[in-house]
Amino acid sequence: MSDMSYTTKEKSQFMKVQGGEKKVMKKILSVALSTAMAFSMFASVAFGETAKATPQQAFDALAAKGILNGYPDGKAHLEKDLTRAEFAKIVTKLFGLTEVSGKLTYKDKGYTATNWAVPYIEAVTAAGLMQGQDTVKGIFNYNGKVTVEEVAAVLFRALKLEQPTTTDNNASAWAKGYAQAVINKGLIAQTVNFKGNATRSLVVETAYAVDQIGKVPTLTVATAEAVSPTKVVVTFSDKTTANVELTTALVAGVETTINFKHLEKDYTAKVTLQAPKVVSVTAPNAKQLVVKFNRAIDGETLVENTANGAKLIDEVVKVTRVNNSDQLVNANNANVVLASDGTEAWITFAGSEYLKGTYTVVIKDSVKTTAGEAIPAFTNLLTVADTTAPTVASVSSVAKTTTNKVYVKLSEPVKTAGLIAYVNGAPASVSRDTYAPLDEVTLNTGSALTSGATYDVSLTNLTDYAGNVANPNPTKASVTVTADSAAPTIVSATAQGDKKVKVVFNKNIDFNSLVGSVRLLDPNGELKSVMQINAGVDGKTFILTSTMASLPENGTFTGTIVFGASVRDTLGNTLGTALSQPITFTKDTVAPTVTSVTYKAGTGITIKFSEEVTYGNVTGLTLINDSTGVANTDLTYAGRSNDGKSLTFKVGTTAVVGAQTLRLPAGLAADTGYAKNKSAATVLPVSGSTASSDAERPTVMSAVYQTEDLNSADYVIRVTATDNSELNIKSLQDNNSYTLADAALPVGSYVTLLPATSGTPTRVAEVHIPKSSINETKNYKFTVAGIVDTAGNGLDVAFEQNIILGDRVKPTLSTAVVSSSDSKTMILTFSEAVKNADAGDFIFMLNGNPVSPSSFATIGNASLADKYYVTFNDANGVIDLNGNTVYTLTVKVRDEAPVANITDKEGNKVNTGTSITVK
């Protein structure tokens, strides 16, 4: 039973409501429910992917509805205490009370008709939820602070909670029951100081929790897609998404029901982990490709870190133009940015390379997921016609006090050559900062820009790589210099191996300020190492290396990394005080393994390992020509890559031509950990090329359909290609060098080679395409795009040939069932539309006896259909096939004289002998 009485003066700040209580509360709850439902719908959109609203998100949602206001500086200031007037407004808005005008119940100074709080204070007073703190003098004390126990009392009445029999909280004696009721309801934590003032943060969170009470989800799950064995992306009916992390990994191919919370509501969804694949390749503009995967990928199988940033690994992505008029493009050395969830890669072509025309894009099967699964190769035909001019997405400038830099973010990559910029009418030079993407330029002004001031920005000849010029020209914008005097913070510090730590800051850091300022301490605070500093992939990321001589005997070191107070960002803001990060190093006992081997003329053989390595200075590295069997040991160490994961060896005077086998001796490489784990002896294939300046591209001479062999399961297309030197055999045999109807070859396709003709570089490949994959007789466009020579030169233009392939798949009776809408009708369904079908093509058995149909037809008596309708008669009329007199019913496609003469539209005869038990 709820307690509405007050027995002490201390409780007099709330009105005593008796006779009209039930009616008033019923109205309040009714309005509150409708208001809460509307709030929930808004919140679901506002909070997007967030499973639980943060105090700031809840504030933003309430503020947008007019329930809360920010301060004049535009901030929420959730840390501040809440006044009684502010709380009155929240209660009024949250519970849908009617604001009261023309009435002044209280005598506070300033409590006049022009006071913003009066309509809300009068509303909560009329509803019986709040009253003055001094009822004798009639003082509400609207500028006074509201306490947590007062908030609890209001919620107790508004929600009509029950008085608990026992209490366990720190509220005053008069409020213990109210406090316990809201604690039990999950609205306020038991550990809160109920006697203290209520902060804006606490009230915002509590208001949001009140809104959620007793409601069913207003959203439904639209889709659920597993992007990894432990991560599912759920899309809701309002098109917002949520990332669901699973504690139990999904099993590929097995449908699993998952349970999760979103916006504090329980949901379930069914999800099946699909095999990893490339979902799509698109070109948002002439300078970039976007590759989407259905699973998070291991970035190191697509990207390598170089001194010039993250670059695409050579030959992983091939882009071949289809027509002579198409722009040539080279994907090697392209910049790559991976999405945070690892499912999307933005590839930006280097230098002046850009797309214009139609291309075959091939992604090799060397890309792997984070779980180590190989992603099947992908082939796609892509047409790019970029006619959209670039636009200014944003203009920003940040300074501690003054700066001379303005950063312009564009809608796509743009050229800096020819771009003219002015800031406040004065010329500014245009550059691109280190690590900056091609869709961002930096304007360097001649004079200082002051924090807080606003300046005009003008850009003339803003041009993308397809030649589109921004309109209007010049394009104008403005920028306000943002003040940044905040110290940098550390986002993460992660051990890599047993010596290195990857540190990510929240903003760009002055490299020199780190040098000599980062120390490693043991648990006793003793100095163990001054950390060596190396730059990472951007200005926020750094790799720290410990110089400790060894790890403890147990193989584990737990200590602290201390960043000196002088470490500063590029604006000059220092940490101010030393900052510590705990770190644990564990002895690395895993030997490095080879992940790839490539050969490039003029560079040599590059061997990439699974981790950073050093050259072991051992002998025995041998390259064997697969054709001649001749061994070449003239390989000399030439250095390692910027990230230390690749070793390069120059090859002597013997040309590296065609298929080769590389034998790596044990200990060729050792990792950089304390154990210096050595690589094992390994034998790996490598495709050679001529070491000359061969730049001539191979050509495809013909693609000819071979006369059909009726006894073969495949169609065969014979491709003849040639080169001035030698073709790369592997590329000829690769399914991904060919497409059919602008798509990858059908599953089950394969390529064989005819014997080479002595003395000629011409080779003939036979592409086998399963007849079962062709379901319609028509002209199919067959394209040859991925063939290269041993020097790595690809086709200048993809070769196309239209080839007629026929449907050779026999139709099959797939199902026979009693109609769910008419139990007197049986429905026969074939795998495809067929013709010439009649009752005589089947043997029907009813209760073990042959029976002839009384009717056999398609809807509308179509001559070509995949469904046929059958009924049977007895002496009493049409038989009810679900009736008690029908025990068994079977149908068989006749395979005895007269054999069924059913065919599909291509003339393929039905599979005879197929028998189905209906019941």
Side-chain angles (χ1 to χ4, degrees), residues 732-777:
L732 279 167
Q733 293 177 302
D734 189 349
N735 277 15
N736 295 297
S737 293
Y738 314 90
T739 63
L740 188 69
D742 296 335
L745 293 181
V747 174
S749 299
Y750 63 98
V751 183
T752 59
L753 297 181
L754 297 184
T757 303
S758 178
T760 174
T762 301
R763 295 302 303 264
V764 178
E766 291 192 334
V767 181
H768 298 253
I769 299 173
K771 295 178 181 177
S772 60
S773 66
I774 305 300
N775 54 21
E776 183 180 0
T777 300

Side-chain angles (χ1 to χ4, degrees), residues 780-850:
Y780 290 86
K781 183 169 71 173
F782 178 74
T783 304
V784 185
I787 293 176
V788 299
D789 62 18
T790 53
N793 301 307
L795 298 175
D796 184 17
V797 179
F799 182 89
E800 292 182 1
Q801 181 70 53
N802 286 328
I803 294 174
I804 296 177
L805 299 179
D807 174 10
R808 299 294 181 263
V809 180
K810 293 183 176 182
T812 300
L813 179 64
S814 53
T815 63
V817 297
V818 177
S819 171
S820 60
S821 59
D822 180 5
S823 62
K824 295 179 180 180
T825 301
M826 178 169 66
I827 303 174
L828 305 182
T829 304
F830 287 86
S831 57
E832 59 179 304
V834 296
K835 58 184 178 180
N836 304 328
D838 59 35
D841 290 311
F842 304 90
I843 298 173
F844 300 98
M845 302 291 290
L846 184 63
N847 295 336
N849 299 313

Side-chain angles (χ1 to χ4, degrees), residues 301-338:
T301 63
L302 182 71
V303 184
E304 60 181 345
N305 292 323
T306 71
N308 296 316
K311 299 294 183 180
L312 186 68
I313 297 174
D314 284 357
E315 305 302 313
V316 172
V317 178
K318 293 183 180 180
V319 182
T320 306
R321 69 178 184 174
V322 171
N323 302 303
N324 277 320
S325 58
D326 300 333
Q327 177 69 28
L328 276 170
V329 67
N330 182 4
N332 291 340
N333 203 38
N335 176 265
V336 184
V337 175
L338 286 179

Side-chain angles (χ1 to χ4, degrees), residues 67-83:
I67 296 174
L68 286 174
N69 290 328
Y71 280 76
D73 63 1
K75 297 181 180 179
H77 285 297
L78 297 174
E79 77 284 355
K80 290 182 177 292
D81 293 339
L82 198 73
T83 68

Side-chain angles (χ1 to χ4, degrees), residues 115 216 314 394 545 804:
N115 189 318
V216 298
D314 284 357
S394 64
T545 304
I804 296 177

Side-chain angles (χ1 to χ4, degrees), residues 43-205:
S44 68
V45 175
F47 303 149
E49 297 185 1
T50 309
K52 177 178 173 60
T54 65
Q56 182 61 51
Q57 289 172 321
F59 174 87
D60 292 341
L62 292 168
K65 289 171 62 65
I67 296 174
L68 286 174
N69 290 328
Y71 280 76
D73 63 1
K75 297 181 180 179
H77 285 297
L78 297 174
E79 77 284 355
K80 290 182 177 292
D81 293 339
L82 198 73
T83 68
R84 287 169 54 78
E86 291 170 335
F87 184 54
K89 178 181 178 181
I90 292 174
V91 172
T92 300
K93 295 290 187 178
L94 181 62
F95 292 109
L97 305 181
T98 300
E99 297 172 23
V100 177
S101 301
K103 186 176 181 180
L104 297 173
T105 301
Y106 301 102
K107 300 177 181 179
D108 299 62
K109 184 178 180 180
Y111 193 80
T112 65
T114 59
N115 189 318
W116 68 269
V118 166
Y120 308 117
I121 294 172
E122 294 294 339
V124 295
T125 300
L129 298 180
M130 295 181 71
Q131 184 178 301
Q133 284 189 336
D134 189 333
T135 55
V136 176
K137 295 182 179 180
I139 301 298
F140 186 83
N141 190 18
Y142 59 86
N143 283 326
K145 302 297 173 59
V146 65
T147 64
V148 179
E149 56 193 13
E150 289 172 348
V151 170
V154 171
L155 295 179
F156 176 88
R157 295 184 182 83
L159 297 174
K160 205 169 184 181
L161 302 180
E162 291 296 321
Q163 188 79 256
T165 55
T166 60
T167 61
D168 181 16
N169 58 71
N170 56 37
S172 301
W174 69 267
K176 280 190 176 292
Y178 308 137
Q180 196 63 46
V182 296
I183 290 171
N184 295 348
K185 199 68 177 175
L187 301 178
I188 299 179
Q190 182 183 27
T191 55
V192 169
N193 178 14
F194 280 85
K195 296 177 183 177
N197 294 335
T199 63
R200 288 164 65 85
S201 176
L202 180 142
V203 174
V204 165
E205 289 186 274

Side-chain angles (χ1 to χ4, degrees), residues 834-895:
V834 296
K835 58 184 178 180
N836 304 328
D838 59 35
D841 290 311
F842 304 90
I843 298 173
F844 300 98
M845 302 291 290
L846 184 63
N847 295 336
N849 299 313
V851 60
S852 297
S854 57
S855 66
F856 183 96
T858 65
I859 293 180
N861 294 316
S863 61
L864 191 69
D866 63 344
K867 286 184 171 58
Y868 290 79
Y869 301 86
V870 186
T871 61
F872 303 93
N873 281 5
D874 60 11
N876 298 317
V878 182
I879 299 174
D880 183 348
L881 300 179
N882 284 338
N884 295 331
T885 60
V886 178
Y887 309 111
T888 62
L889 177 61
T890 62
V891 58
K892 177 182 177 182
V893 180
R894 186 180 288 277
D895 58 355

Side-chain angles (χ1 to χ4, degrees), residues 15 64 95 110 177 210 229 244 268 327 345 347 351 355 409 425 458 500 529 551 575 607 675 745 750 851 860 913:
M15 179 183 288
F95 292 109
V210 168
V244 179
T268 62
Q327 177 69 28
I347 299 171
L355 300 166
K409 186 76 172 178
S458 174
K500 296 182 181 295
S529 169
L551 292 177
L575 291 179
I607 307 169
L745 293 181
Y750 63 98
V851 60

